Amino acid sequence: MLGLLPCFYPGRGMTNTKQKDSVPTPLMWGFAFSLALALLVNYSGLGGRLDASLLDAQIRVLRSASPAPAEKEVVVVGIDESDIHYFNEPVALWHRHLGDFLRAMAVAKAQAVGLDVALPERSFNDILPGYDEALMTGILAARKQMPVMLAITVDGAGKPRQLLRKFQLVAGDDGTAFALFPRDADMAVRRFDERLAEDGSKIPTIAGQLARKLGRDPAPGIIDYSRGAAFNYIPLHTVLEWARAGDTQSLERQFAGRTVLLGSVLPVEDRVLQPVNLAAWEENGNQAPGVLIHAQTLRSILGQGLVQPAPAWLAALLMFGAGLLWFAGLRGWVAFGVFTLLAGGLFAADLWLFRQGWHVPLGGVVPAAFFALTGRAGLDAAFKLKERRLLKRSFSGSVSPVVMQEILAGKLSPELGGERRYVCILFADIRDFTTRSETMPPEAAIALLNRYFQRVVDVIHAEGGAVSSFIGDGIMAIFGAPNLMENPSKSAFAAAKAMQHEVANLNRQLAAEGAAPIRVGIGLHAGEAVIGHVGSSARHDYTAIGDVTNVASRLEGLTKETGHGVICSSAVAEKLDDKEGLAPLGPRAIKGHTPVEVYGWGKLVQDDQVHRDTMEKHL
C-alpha cells in the first residue's frame, strides 16, 4: 500500500541516477535567472536608486549614531530676506556691496573666497557711475590676499551666462568656475565630478577650482555628508556692518584662515536636493541652498577627502557571491531571516568602510541575495507543491485521507518501524462471500465488492479512521493513528454502526436487482499497538501490530456464533457514552487468547426483511 512512498516522500525529492553527481538542470537555470534579474536591476537604473537610498540611510545613521567633525570648516555667508530689506535695491545692482564684502574678506585674512551669485552680463555704469569699479576693486583687493572664485551660471537651455568682460579679466582665467553639480536619477547631489560637459569632458567648478587653489586635487568621488555639523550662515549685511564699522576683530574671529562661500539662502531660490538637511536654521525637506552643497564638497575635499567607490570588480564579485546563496536551498522564514541578516551585515560593513573613505555599491548585491534566497525558496515550494500533488494523485486511492495528510505534512516517517499508540482496531468481513463468489462471474464478484467497499470506506474515513488493508472481502481499519483521537473507541463504534446502515441500504438495492443480500460482521477491540510501516524497504504497509489487532480479528469471527452485526470488547464498550443497543455477552473464548468479555450490537437473522427491520430499529 505504501511501498512506493519513499521515492516520492516530501522533502526527499525525486532522484535521477543520471544526475546524482551533478547539479540538476532546473537549479542551474534558476541560479542563472536569479543572477540575470539582479544584473538587470543593477544596470537598469533601479540598482542605482536602491544604492542611493542605502547610501542616504548610511549617512543618516552615521550623522546620528557616530557624528564626526569636519577636518576643514567652511564658512557660509548667506543672502537672505533680511539682506533684501536691508539694502533696499535690486540684487543686480549690488556691485558695491559685493566689492565691500570681498575687501572685508581681505581684511579678515580668509583662506579663500567664492561667490556663488549670478554676476551681471552687462555694465551698469551708465545708470550708476562707478558701480562696476566698486566690484572690480573689491575683486583685486581680495585676490592679493587669497584665491577668489566667481560663479558662472547657466540659462534654462544649459548655456553658460557670460560675465561682464572686465569682471572676467580682473578675476583672471582661473578665477571663474561653474556653479554646477552632477545629479543622480532622483536629482539629488551625492557625488562630485567635473565631467559635466556634453561630451563628458571636465569643466571647472567652484569647489574644484577652490580646492586646486588650496593645493588639493579634486578627483571624482562621493561627497561625505556624514561629517561636520549642519551649517549656519552669517547674513551678508552683518559682515558689511562689521567691515564698515572697522570691527576687524569680529571679521577675523569668523573668517581668518577659513574658506568662505557667499550665496543665496532664500527659501525658494537655488535649492538642490541632498541626502540630509544641512541647513541648521530650517526644516527644508533636504532641499538645500546650492551654496551649502559647495561648502560640504569643500569640507570633504579639504578634509579626509571624497569617499571613493569600491572597484567595479568587487561589486561584481559580491553580486556573484550573493547569487550563490541560491544553492543554499533555504526555505520560508529561514530564507527571509538569512536575507535580513545578510542585508543588515552588508549595510553595517558598508557603514564602516564609508568612514574609512570607501563605498561599496549595494544596489546589485542586495537584489542578488534577495532573488537567490527567495527565488530558490519559491522554486522549492513549487517543486514541493508539484510533488504533493503527484503524491496525492498517485496514492490517494491507496491510503486513507488521514494517512495522506500526515504524509504530506511530513509527520509520517517513511522509514520502517513504528511507535506505541492507544488505538481501536476494526475488522469487518462479508459472511459466506467465498461461497457466493463461486457462483458468480469474477467481474460480478469484484463489482459487488467495490460497491460494498465504496460505502463502508467512506463511512470509516468520515469518522477519522484509516483503512490499513483489504483482505479479500475483509477490511481492517485503525482509529487513533496516525492522527490522535480523544476517544478512538467512540469513533470506531460509530463507524461500525454506520457501516451496518450502509449495508442495509446496499441490500435494498440488491433486492431491487433480484440479488441476494450480504451480511457483514464487525469486530472492535481497543488497546496499545505498535503503529508504523511493516514490510521491506521496497514494499511495506502502514498498519498496527500487537495483541489488540489479533483480538479485534477474532472478535469479528464471533459474529458468526452470536448472530450480532457488531462485536466489541469491554475495552471498547466502557469508552462509549451511549451504550443503547449493546448486549452483554459475557466472557468468550477466542482462539489463541484468554477469554474476552464482549458485547453485541445489531442482531443478525436469516430472514432478509426481518434483518433489515432489526438493523434499522437499532440505527
Side-chain angles (χ1 to χ4, degrees):
M1 181 171 25
L2 296 179
L4 297 178
L5 281 181
C7 297
F8 298 92
Y9 215 84
R12 288 190 163 207
M14 292 177 285
T15 59
N16 185 335
T17 55
K18 294 182 179 180
Q19 294 183 349
K20 282 184 178 179
D21 299 325
S22 62
V23 179
T25 299
L27 288 186
M28 290 303 298
W29 278 111
F31 166 68
F33 182 69
S34 69
L35 197 57
L37 278 179
L39 289 169
L40 179 64
V41 168
N42 190 49
Y43 294 108
S44 67
L46 294 176
R49 289 180 179 270
L50 175 60
D51 182 58
S53 297
L54 292 173
L55 178 59
D56 292 351
Q58 289 172 343
I59 290 169
R60 288 192 291 269
V61 169
L62 288 172
R63 288 186 69 87
S64 61
S66 180
E71 296 179 14
K72 295 290 183 179
E73 270 300 349
V74 177
V75 182
V76 175
V77 176
I79 299 173
D80 61 9
E81 292 179 341
S82 67
D83 292 318
I84 302 297
H85 293 96
Y86 183 88
F87 296 118
N88 198 27
E89 58 187 349
V91 176
L93 300 179
W94 283 14
H95 294 53
R96 177 166 57 89
H97 308 310
L98 296 178
D100 289 345
F101 168 75
L102 290 170
R103 280 186 285 271
M105 293 302 100
V107 172
K109 298 181 178 63
Q111 183 182 36
V113 64
L115 270 61
D116 183 23
V117 294
L119 296 176
E121 301 176 58
R122 57 180 293 270
S123 172
F124 287 94
N125 270 350
D126 293 340
I127 302 173
L128 297 168
Y131 256 52
D132 293 346
E133 286 71 18
L135 178 53
M136 292 167 61
T137 56
I139 295 172
L140 288 170
R143 282 194 63 192
K144 291 178 181 180
Q145 302 290 331
M146 73 200 79
V148 176
M149 201 59 54
L150 305 182
I152 300 174
T153 59
V154 295
D155 59 23
K159 301 297 182 182
R161 290 192 177 99
Q162 296 298 324
L163 293 181
L164 184 63
R165 179 60 179 169
K166 51 188 176 183
F167 294 157
Q168 182 82 50
L169 291 172
V170 172
D173 293 337
D174 58 353
T176 60
F178 285 88
L180 298 176
F181 317 91
R183 304 200 187 200
D184 290 342
D186 59 356
M187 301 308 293
V189 176
R190 298 181 180 88
R191 295 165 177 81
F192 170 82
D193 195 336
E194 293 187 312
R195 292 172 293 187
L196 298 172
E198 292 181 356
D199 60 358
S201 59
K202 288 184 178 182
I203 61 173
T205 63
I206 290 178
Q209 287 293 82
L210 283 173
R212 291 185 184 93
K213 294 284 187 179
L214 297 173
R216 299 296 294 267
D217 181 21
I222 300 169
I223 302 170
D224 191 350
Y225 284 97
S226 72
R227 292 184 178 271
F231 287 99
N232 279 296
Y233 70 91
I234 303 171
L236 174 59
H237 73 270
T238 300
V239 177
L240 297 187
E241 285 179 349
W242 291 339
R244 290 164 185 170
D247 189 355
T248 304
Q249 184 178 2
S250 294
L251 291 172
E252 290 183 350
R253 183 175 63 250
Q254 295 292 338
F255 306 113
R258 297 177 180 176
T259 300
V260 182
L261 293 178
L262 170 67
S264 171
V265 295
L266 292 168
V268 293
E269 183 178 314
D270 189 26
R271 291 281 168 152
V272 183
L273 185 62
Q274 59 182 351
V276 292
N277 177 21
L278 287 180
W281 65 90
E282 65 181 3
E283 290 294 333
N284 54 36
N286 297 355
Q287 293 285 342
V291 66
L292 298 190
I293 308 296
H294 292 299
Q296 189 67 24
T297 303
L298 278 169
R299 269 181 173 178
S300 297
I301 296 174
L302 299 176
Q304 187 176 7
L306 296 170
V307 176
Q308 296 302 307
W313 63 263
L314 178 58
L317 184 63
L318 287 174
M319 280 185 63
F320 184 77
L324 290 176
L325 288 170
W326 172 274
F327 296 107
L330 304 178
R331 299 180 181 180
W333 287 106
V334 176
F336 178 77
V338 169
F339 170 74
T340 303
L341 290 174
L342 178 65
L346 288 171
F347 185 84
D350 210 20
L351 275 178
W352 182 83
L353 286 172
F354 195 88
R355 269 294 155 85
Q356 313 311 310
W358 294 94
H359 171 65
V360 179
L362 299 178
V365 180
V366 173
F370 177 80
F371 292 136
L373 290 168
T374 60
R376 176 60 189 274
L379 182 65
D380 285 347
F383 279 152
K384 187 174 182 180
L385 179 61
K386 183 179 179 181
E387 190 176 71
R388 286 165 64 92
R389 288 175 176 171
L390 177 61
L391 270 172
K392 195 170 185 179
R393 186 169 59 250
S394 301
F395 296 103
S396 60
S398 301
V399 298
S400 293
V402 290
V403 177
M404 178 60 67
Q405 289 171 8
E406 295 293 300
I407 292 173
L408 295 179
K411 299 177 181 178
L412 189 58
S413 171
E415 307 299 332
L416 295 178
E419 61 175 330
R420 186 174 292 273
R421 187 82 66 83
Y422 184 86
V423 295
C424 185
I425 304 297
L426 178 152
F427 271 94
D429 187 70
I430 300 178
R431 291 284 161 264
D432 304 319
F433 188 80
T434 301
T435 303
R436 177 172 180 160
S437 64
E438 291 176 354
T439 63
M440 300 171 64
E443 294 82 2
I446 291 176
L448 177 58
L449 279 178
N450 287 340
R451 290 173 68 181
Y452 160 69
F453 283 138
Q454 181 67 53
R455 289 173 176 271
V456 298
V457 167
D458 287 346
V459 167
I460 292 171
H461 289 167
E463 294 294 338
V467 175
S468 174
S469 60
F470 296 96
I471 310 166
D473 58 298
I475 186 171
M476 171 185 172
I478 306 171
F479 292 81
N483 60 324
L484 292 172
M485 286 183 174
E486 183 178 350
N487 190 343
S489 297
K490 180 179 179 181
S491 299
F493 188 70
K497 292 195 296 182
M499 287 171 66
Q500 292 292 6
H501 180 69
E502 290 299 325
V503 169
N505 290 336
L506 176 60
N507 283 336
R508 288 191 183 92
Q509 294 181 4
L510 293 175
E513 298 167 5
I518 62 174
R519 295 180 179 84
V520 174
I522 301 173
L524 299 173
H525 184 47
E528 286 194 341
V530 176
I531 307 295
H533 293 99
V534 177
S536 71
S537 59
R539 174 68 173 89
H540 49 257
D541 289 341
Y542 182 79
T543 189
I545 301 295
D547 183 67
V548 63
T549 303
N550 297 329
V551 170
S553 175
R554 302 304 183 192
L555 293 184
E556 181 273 321
L558 284 179
T559 60
K560 299 177 183 178
E561 301 176 15
T562 65
H564 288 84
V566 179
I567 295 291
C568 67
S569 66
S570 59
V572 174
E574 65 186 16
K575 296 291 184 179
L576 302 180
D577 298 329
D578 182 7
K579 297 181 174 60
E580 182 180 356
L582 274 179
L585 304 178
R588 293 293 178 113
I590 59 176
K591 184 178 180 180
H593 198 278
T594 58
V596 177
E597 186 173 351
V598 299
Y599 292 78
W601 180 92
K603 186 73 174 179
L604 291 175
V605 295
Q606 293 300 318
D607 180 76
D608 295 339
Q609 183 59 48
V610 175
H611 166 64
R612 287 194 296 270
D613 292 344
T614 302
M615 301 306 293
E616 288 177 354
K617 176 182 179 182
H618 289 293
L619 292 169

